[in-house]
Amino acid sequence: MTVVTEFAHDVKVLEKDVWIPLKRGVKLAARIWMPVNAGPGFKVPAVLEYIPYRKRDMTRPGDEPKHAYFAGHGYASVRVDLAGAGDSFGKQADEYSKQELSDGKEVIAWLAKQAWCTGKVGMFGISWGGFNSLQVAALRPPALKAIVTSCSTDDRYANDMHYSGGCLLNDQLDWGTTFFSILPLPGDPEIMGPGWRKNWMERLEDIACPPETWMKHQTRDGFWKHASVCEDYSRIQCPVFAVGGWLDGYTDAIPRLLKNLKVPRLGLIGPHAHQWGQSQRAPGPAIGFLQEMLRWWDHWLKGEETGIMDEPMMRAWMQEDIPARPWYADCPGRWVGEENWPSKRIGRERFHLNADGLSARKGKNVPRVSTSPQTLGLAGGEWCPYGTGGEGPEFPGDQRFDDGASLCFDGVPLKRKLEILGAASVTLDLSVDKPTAFVCVRLNDVKPDGSVARAAYGVLNLTHRDGHDKVKPLVPGKRYKVTVPLSDTAYSFGKGHRVRVAVSTTYWPMIWPSPEPVALTLHTGTSTLDLPVRPAQGGPKLKPFLPPEEAAPMAATQISAVPSRNTVTRDVLTGRVEVLSERGGGVYRIEDHGMEFGRNTTERMAITEGDPLSAETEVTLTSHMKRGDFQVDVKARTHLRATGDTFTLTADLDVWEGNDRILAKSWSVPIKRHGI
């Protein structure tokens, strides 16, 4: 990473007394980086990042390098805390509310009217900020001319950390506890002034436990349709640059956006996890993504010919023989492109799941029966890894550990390279012995040395076989034909490698188990795999990416460090398996205002082999902020387990001001299982 210290424009940073007034009487806090001479005589476009993650402390290390970078290139780069978050007044209870999006539209109008602004605004963000960039764009603010959405989704039910394929993700509790622990934190008195404490008490009053709300919506109902831009892609009328990485949980949204939007659009998918493309976090290689964003902004906000719109609509990292390991620093491969998406160059090839393996020819119908162990999935990695370090099994590891307990169908060793780009799908002719069940399908690369890497996967709640908006219990023993779409990928199976399809009815700890062990009968010959095959040669010539660069990092001092730890333990006698993840950031002091800030997370997931009702997940998160006599500590804990028909969500929230505990609140909520 190159740290740039000299720019075309000297930069000033405004934060104290920078308030954006809303019509409803609430003030939002902003931090603005801009050229020192920006004003009526030198107007610049604005680019906005609008998120709840506390500009004063939580995201400050990441804000500084990119916002200062944009400002140095002639933009007013703006970070705004959502109402009720960080230093902004108001209250917040959930994600992507109508009020949040309406406020965002007002923020854009305010920016466009400032004396230093040309009237043109862009919006960008990763994760939450990528979500609401799409959602605010759908409201069509007149001044919003383009967006960059990274690691986000167009569909809040089908492609978010709550549910996948109609199955409950353990990530829902992990992220939900993180959000739960952010809600009670106060703003900085230095920014908010005397009103900080009154607003803090308002935040603590009737505070919600977000996972409770999400778990009460187990199908794709109106709750999830709200702010899912896939409900009406035509609402978005400004250009869209959609970005992600193959290990990120949200990447499938990028091909959908390219296919369904009608505005100028680009897609860029790197090898990485839930992170920006210039990040030095694994897996690399990193690219000069901030330069790509500048090319995009300069074209759409300044009217300059940067060549960005001459690039192929889809640029993607073609993964080649990726390591079958739960963490690796760099992903082998190369960049490829397609002029349009969907691409006419990509064809579909069908293979049959036969009794003797994968074949282009249909074989005999031979029923194969399997009951998956409850711990199948330990090699699956996380639904949404962050690439934060080599301490834990973030990425999918060697699939042999899961394949040995799955129904597997192997092709013959390949005589030449086979490359796929897009979403494969598997159609299964099956029956099960329980009214509630799901299937997990993995597309694997079996290497000559015997190791196995996961190329793509998908899960489907079979009670959702006719759509995620309805639950239809299965008739035990009845045959069904269901199609399981797999995650989008770009993957090159090498010469001598074999393609494998692995099928199971469990995928823990990523997916919460069905209420009962399930015996699956899979009919061979009539079950198929469809691959999106891309010619290994040809395609558009790509301009190389520049090396990664950004502005100088935030000045900070690490006060304490907490090492991360990830372990899997098994009690051989009882069959109890526990996955423990401790992710510690320690405490650091932000030198430009003296605040100490730190957050640490412990996640524990456990299950007893053979007993899906023994599953439990517990997440505990602590937060600390201190400057002088001002000190706040928060401890948030959630715990989930279930009977055959009911989830029980328990939660505790403790908030201290100095040595005084000012809030102690507990929840114990029964939630009916609805086909999950």
Side-chain angles (χ1 to χ4, degrees):
M1 172 71 72
T2 299
V3 175
V4 181
T5 56
E6 294 186 5
F7 295 98
H9 303 274
D10 291 335
V11 176
K12 63 182 177 182
V13 185
L14 309 175
E15 184 170 24
K16 289 187 177 181
D17 301 321
V18 180
W19 296 102
I20 300 176
L22 301 176
K23 294 175 183 176
R24 60 190 179 99
V26 171
K27 297 188 300 182
L28 302 187
R31 190 174 183 216
I32 305 176
W33 295 253
M34 66 171 68
V36 294
N37 57 339
F42 176 56
K43 295 188 176 187
V44 296
V47 291
L48 167 67
E49 187 177 19
Y50 174 62
I51 52 179
Y53 300 136
R54 306 182 57 83
K55 66 177 178 58
R56 191 70 167 159
D57 39 51
M58 184 176 173
T59 65
R60 209 172 188 89
D63 291 346
E64 196 71 41
K66 64 177 181 287
H67 285 280
Y69 188 89
F70 296 144
H73 286 87
Y75 289 88
S77 198
V78 185
R79 252 292 275 119
V80 176
D81 284 338
L82 303 187
D87 300 326
S88 289
F89 287 90
K91 293 176 65 174
Q92 184 186 22
D94 205 353
E95 311 166 304
Y96 323 121
S97 67
K98 290 182 179 179
Q99 189 64 67
E100 171 190 331
L101 305 183
S102 176
D103 290 350
K105 188 175 180 180
E106 279 196 62
V107 169
I108 289 170
W110 183 88
L111 292 172
K113 293 176 182 177
Q114 298 310 295
W116 40 259
C117 186
T118 61
K120 294 184 177 181
V121 180
M123 190 171 178
F124 73 97
I126 186 170
S127 200
W128 191 307
F131 275 62
N132 67 21
S133 291
L134 287 167
Q135 295 158 1
V136 172
L139 299 181
R140 301 183 185 178
L144 184 63
K145 304 303 180 184
I147 67 170
V148 177
T149 177
S150 178
C151 300
S152 72
T153 189
D154 57 340
D155 191 329
R156 294 183 57 213
Y157 181 80
N159 191 201
D160 197 359
M161 49 66 196
H162 305 289
Y163 301 94
S164 180
C167 302
L168 177 64
L169 287 164
N170 258 318
D171 271 57
Q172 172 157 267
L173 208 63
D174 186 353
W175 153 242
T177 310
T178 300
F179 186 31
F180 186 37
S181 72
I182 294 172
L183 291 173
L185 288 171
D188 188 341
E190 283 193 356
I191 297 295
M192 300 185 77
W196 78 270
R197 187 175 180 82
K198 179 176 181 295
N199 179 252
W200 188 27
M201 294 300 105
E202 291 171 353
R203 295 183 188 188
L204 297 181
E205 184 182 2
D206 299 325
I207 196 165
C209 180
E212 176 185 350
T213 300
W214 305 334
M215 291 195 64
K216 289 180 176 177
H217 296 273
Q218 296 170 26
T219 58
R220 194 172 188 280
D221 57 13
F223 178 85
W224 301 112
K225 291 178 182 179
H226 161 70
S228 290
V229 299
C230 63
E231 290 295 302
D232 185 359
Y233 288 104
S234 69
R235 292 293 304 164
I236 296 178
Q237 292 291 301
C238 69
V240 175
F241 190 2
V243 186
W246 289 126
L247 281 173
D248 182 55
Y250 297 100
T251 305
D252 294 353
I254 297 172
R256 290 197 301 268
L257 288 166
L258 297 184
K259 176 182 178 180
N260 292 291
L261 291 174
K262 303 305 179 185
V263 296
R265 58 207 182 276
L266 293 176
L268 176 63
I269 306 175
H272 49 267
H274 197 70
Q275 63 203 54
W276 291 106
Q278 82 279 5
S279 171
Q280 298 301 292
R281 285 188 276 155
I287 63 170
F289 181 64
L290 295 188
Q291 296 98 304
E292 290 300 296
M293 289 182 73
L294 278 175
R295 293 174 69 208
W296 177 260
W297 297 136
D298 287 349
H299 180 91
W300 293 109
L301 302 184
K302 292 184 177 178
E304 298 178 3
E305 287 299 327
T306 65
I308 187 74
M309 297 312 295
D310 297 329
E311 300 291 343
M313 182 182 289
M314 170 72 89
R315 289 177 288 172
W317 182 257
M318 178 62 69
Q319 304 165 97
E320 299 178 340
D321 195 18
I322 63 173
R325 296 197 301 271
W327 190 89
Y328 44 90
D330 288 295
C331 178
R334 71 189 196 280
W335 288 101
V336 299
E338 296 296 333
E339 293 291 356
N340 296 287
W341 194 265
S343 173
K344 294 181 179 180
R345 289 174 9 93
I346 295 174
R348 306 293 294 191
E349 290 192 17
R350 172 163 291 185
F351 299 86
H352 293 268
L353 279 59
N354 293 331
D356 57 354
L358 290 177
S359 174
R361 291 188 175 184
K362 178 180 177 180
K364 293 182 180 179
N365 178 2
V366 179
R368 294 183 61 182
V369 181
S370 176
T371 298
S372 302
Q374 294 301 316
T375 53
L376 192 155
L378 285 170
E382 297 180 4
W383 180 80
C384 189
Y386 285 73
T388 51
E391 301 93 346
E394 283 194 283
F395 311 158
D398 195 326
Q399 300 298 292
R400 283 180 288 191
F401 298 99
D402 288 339
D403 288 355
S406 302
L407 292 175
C408 291
F409 303 86
D410 290 6
V412 298
L414 294 169
K415 295 181 179 179
R416 58 182 177 275
K417 183 187 297 184
L418 173 67
E419 294 194 347
I420 61 174
L421 177 59
S425 64
V426 174
T427 298
L428 301 176
D429 184 353
L430 57 77
S431 62
V432 294
D433 66 340
K434 299 295 188 299
T436 299
F438 70 83
V439 290
C440 173
V441 180
R442 290 172 289 119
L443 179 66
N444 292 340
D445 176 9
V446 183
K447 305 184 182 189
D449 67 359
S451 66
V452 183
R454 195 184 74 193
Y457 77 105
V459 295
L460 177 64
N461 182 339
L462 294 175
T463 71
H464 290 207
R465 62 193 177 277
D466 294 327
H468 293 309
D469 59 338
K470 58 181 74 72
V471 171
K472 297 178 67 175
L474 297 142
V475 177
K478 180 179 178 179
R479 283 174 67 170
Y480 298 93
K481 215 160 199 183
V482 297
T483 297
V484 182
L486 305 191
S487 51
D488 282 82
T489 190
Y491 196 89
S492 180
F493 294 87
K495 180 181 178 181
H497 294 222
R498 287 177 291 151
V499 177
R500 170 177 290 170
V501 172
V503 183
S504 64
T505 56
T506 57
Y507 208 48
W508 182 88
M510 185 187 296
I511 303 296
W512 194 269
S514 297
E516 302 174 274
V518 173
L520 167 71
T521 301
L522 182 60
H523 295 272
T524 67
T526 50
S527 297
T528 57
L529 163 69
D530 287 283
L531 291 179
V533 177
R534 179 185 187 273
Q537 305 297 325
K541 186 176 181 179
L542 301 179
K543 180 180 178 180
F545 291 106
L546 295 172
E549 62 181 34
E550 58 187 19
M554 174 189 78
T557 300
Q558 193 77 31
I559 296 173
S560 65
V562 178
S564 295
R565 184 165 68 102
N566 292 266
T567 60
V568 178
T569 58
R570 183 189 300 269
D571 186 314
V572 177
L573 292 180
T574 67
R576 188 71 169 170
V577 175
E578 181 176 281
V579 178
L580 178 66
S581 173
E582 295 177 326
R583 306 185 293 275
V587 176
Y588 56 86
R589 182 174 60 248
I590 302 165
E591 297 300 346
D592 68 352
H593 58 65
M595 183 74 78
E596 297 177 8
F597 188 78
R599 296 168 62 77
N600 298 292
T601 304
T602 299
E603 180 179 22
R604 182 179 64 87
M605 298 171 286
I607 197 168
T608 299
E609 192 56 79
D611 182 9
L613 299 183
S614 68
E616 61 174 328
T617 297
E618 182 181 58
V619 184
T620 303
L621 201 145
T622 60
S623 301
H624 168 78
M625 52 192 302
K626 182 179 187 300
R627 183 178 53 230
D629 295 333
F630 172 79
Q631 179 175 333
V632 173
D633 291 275
V634 171
K635 181 178 180 181
R637 184 195 72 90
T638 60
H639 180 271
L640 184 67
R641 65 180 314 152
T643 64
D645 58 10
T646 305
F647 289 107
T648 299
L649 173 68
T650 60
D652 300 292
L653 183 65
D654 293 283
V655 181
W656 287 268
E657 183 178 15
N659 295 322
D660 298 325
R661 186 161 69 174
I662 63 170
L663 178 69
K665 189 172 182 179
S666 296
W667 290 254
S668 182
V669 184
I671 302 170
K672 184 176 175 58
R673 296 180 77 155
H674 190 40
I676 287 182

